[in-house]
Amino acid sequence: MISRRTVWILGISQLVCWGIFHYLIGAVGESMVSGLGWSRPLVYGGYSVALFVMGVVSPVVGWGIDRFGGRPVMTAGACLGALGCAGLGLSHTLAVYYGAWIVLGLAMRMTLYDAAFATLARMGGPAAKRPISQITLLGGLASTVFWPIGHALADGYGWRAAVFVYAGFAVAMVFLHLAIPAGRYRGTDEERPADNAAENLAVNRARRPMAAFLYSVIVTVMAALNAGMSAHMIAILAGLGVGVSVAVWTSTLRGIGQSAARLGEVLFGGRVHPLALAVFATALLPLSFAAGLFGGAFAAAAIAFTLLYGVGNGLVTIVRGTVPLVLFDPRSYGVLVGKLLIPGFLLAALAPLAYAVVIERVGADGALIFSGVLAAVAFAAAVLLRVVCRDVAEAATPPEKNTVKAAENSPLALS
């Protein structure tokens, strides 16, 4: 059983860790370019290195969580994150700068959603679906909270001061992660909860490889989009003709869209199978980038771009955590998902640099068209995954859950 206290701990952890690690480059990247005097691809290439490191260490971190639990792994990750942020603040050469990003790559893989999801799966088994949705509520607000904080700190005190403050936040996460429980799910295949009994597709060996491949395609494309948008959404809006300060605040709507969508899933998504949710979520993404093409001329289009992207990305994050509970035995969640995430991390590592080049050569409009094509690939993979697993998904639709019960399980009711 996963307690409300655990959900709060991991939810706050995701809010802060995503804000200070993953969204760091989006908040202070342009200030780094100006302050260091390096080219944009060179500066944003550090973030790419971090994402590459995440891919390399992904299976090992997943194994570590399966073996030892989330508490030691995520605590160590927060320590590394503090060191990485401090290293950035002290960097004056490429060697130190890129070394700090290598450390931050380790920290991100050990603290962000995939580590938290594996921690919950280890503790709760199939019952981790609802907590996974719940912790993404706070995590979805990371850009909304930390983009303005980072931007304000960089403007007022310089980007070095901003990353030192981020290091302080990481130290606080060390103490929070020490409070993660050490429990482990030990149920057998015959002891799964009734509302999840039909959901495990691992018994179907014929379809499992294709389903795993399509899942990997979805998370790979979405990881690339997320990395690109996290690093360059503000720059894309500015390139469309939106003022820089307005672009910063408009970009924060992404986080509001993410958390609003996740709240809706927590409250009303009890009857929505993860595979159906994948189709709906990925369908929103091409629409968001199409709206963004008109963002320079119409403020409403820029707002629609950030909100729709936030809603789609927020729901895909839930899909990323819950679909493996459908595909695999949750007791080996960390190792199996860690392997499937490798292509996503590696492609995401190229995304910030690729987006920087695209923006410089063909502008913000070209970056949005490029994003729309990638989003269409994710949508096609989600549709195929739903078709491949249609009969199992229909059989696995959970029974009706009333709104009151869902609301009681929401983090908003955890006080």
Side-chain angles (χ1 to χ4, degrees):
M1 180 67 179
I2 299 172
S3 69
R4 294 178 176 183
R5 177 174 175 269
T6 300
V7 172
W8 272 112
I9 289 170
L10 290 174
I12 294 170
S13 164
Q14 295 311 293
L15 169 65
V16 176
C17 289
W18 275 91
I20 62 176
F21 301 149
H22 188 80
Y23 292 122
L24 182 154
I25 194 70
V28 303
E30 293 304 309
S31 296
M32 285 179 166
V33 172
S34 300
L36 291 168
W38 301 339
S39 69
R40 181 175 288 105
L42 199 59
V43 170
Y44 283 87
Y47 179 58
S48 295
V49 168
L51 295 176
F52 177 80
V53 171
M54 290 178 73
V56 171
V57 303
S58 182
V60 177
V61 173
W63 172 84
I65 293 175
D66 281 347
R67 177 67 177 83
F68 303 107
R71 180 166 62 194
V73 174
M74 296 185 73
T75 300
C79 292
L80 290 172
L83 290 174
C85 288
L88 284 181
L90 296 171
S91 63
H92 293 275
T93 65
L94 281 175
V96 176
Y97 179 77
Y98 276 83
W101 277 112
I102 289 172
V103 175
L104 282 172
L106 288 168
M108 286 194 287
R109 182 58 184 92
M110 296 168 73
T111 60
L112 299 187
Y113 279 142
D114 298 305
F117 294 163
T119 298
L120 289 171
R122 184 182 188 273
M123 288 191 290
K129 179 179 181 295
R130 181 64 54 183
I132 283 174
S133 298
Q134 290 172 335
I135 68 168
T136 64
L137 286 172
L138 287 176
L141 294 172
S143 61
T144 301
V145 174
F146 281 93
W147 266 343
I149 289 176
H151 194 263
L153 287 171
D155 277 353
Y157 306 98
W159 69 267
R160 294 185 189 276
V163 295
F164 281 128
V165 172
Y166 279 13
F169 278 112
V171 171
M173 291 303 98
V174 172
F175 297 100
L176 185 69
H177 291 161
L178 287 171
I180 296 173
R184 181 167 194 164
Y185 170 73
R186 298 190 181 278
T188 65
D189 291 338
E190 291 76 22
E191 293 172 339
R192 301 183 187 279
D195 66 352
N196 202 58
E199 289 195 36
N200 195 321
L201 302 187
V203 296
N204 193 321
R205 301 296 178 184
R207 284 180 297 176
R208 187 182 180 193
M210 177 58 71
F213 168 75
L214 292 171
Y215 168 79
S216 183
V217 170
I218 295 169
V219 298
T220 296
V221 171
M222 287 308 305
L225 284 173
N226 189 39
M229 288 298 106
S230 296
H232 297 287
M233 179 174 276
I234 294 173
I236 288 173
L237 287 169
L240 293 171
V242 179
V244 175
S245 61
V246 176
V248 171
W249 288 104
T250 302
S251 296
T252 64
L253 296 175
R254 163 185 170 166
I256 294 174
Q258 287 179 162
S259 286
R262 291 165 182 171
L263 177 60
E265 199 281 335
V266 168
L267 295 177
F268 309 112
R271 286 187 57 82
V272 180
H273 192 276
L275 300 178
L277 185 64
V279 174
F280 174 73
T282 54
L284 296 176
L285 296 169
L287 297 177
S288 73
F289 296 119
L293 291 172
F294 302 95
F298 304 101
I303 292 172
F305 161 48
T306 54
L307 278 175
L308 278 175
Y309 176 77
V311 170
N313 188 62
L315 293 176
V316 168
T317 301
I318 294 176
V319 167
R320 178 172 176 157
T322 56
V323 165
L325 292 175
V326 175
L327 298 176
F328 313 119
D329 185 336
R331 289 167 295 184
S332 56
Y333 182 108
V335 172
L336 291 172
V337 174
K339 291 177 180 177
L340 290 176
L341 292 176
I342 292 175
F345 286 130
L346 297 182
L347 186 59
L350 300 175
L353 180 59
Y355 269 83
V357 173
V358 169
I359 291 170
E360 285 193 350
R361 294 189 177 181
V362 296
D365 288 344
L368 288 172
I369 293 171
F370 174 63
S371 301
V373 172
L374 289 178
V377 172
F379 172 65
V383 171
L384 286 173
L385 182 60
R386 174 71 171 166
V387 170
V388 168
C389 305
R390 182 186 301 276
D391 58 331
V392 179
E394 289 174 353
T397 300
E400 186 76 39
K401 293 183 176 65
N402 61 55
T403 303
V404 173
K405 182 177 180 181
E408 288 175 351
N409 287 329
S410 169
L412 300 180
L414 298 188
S415 58

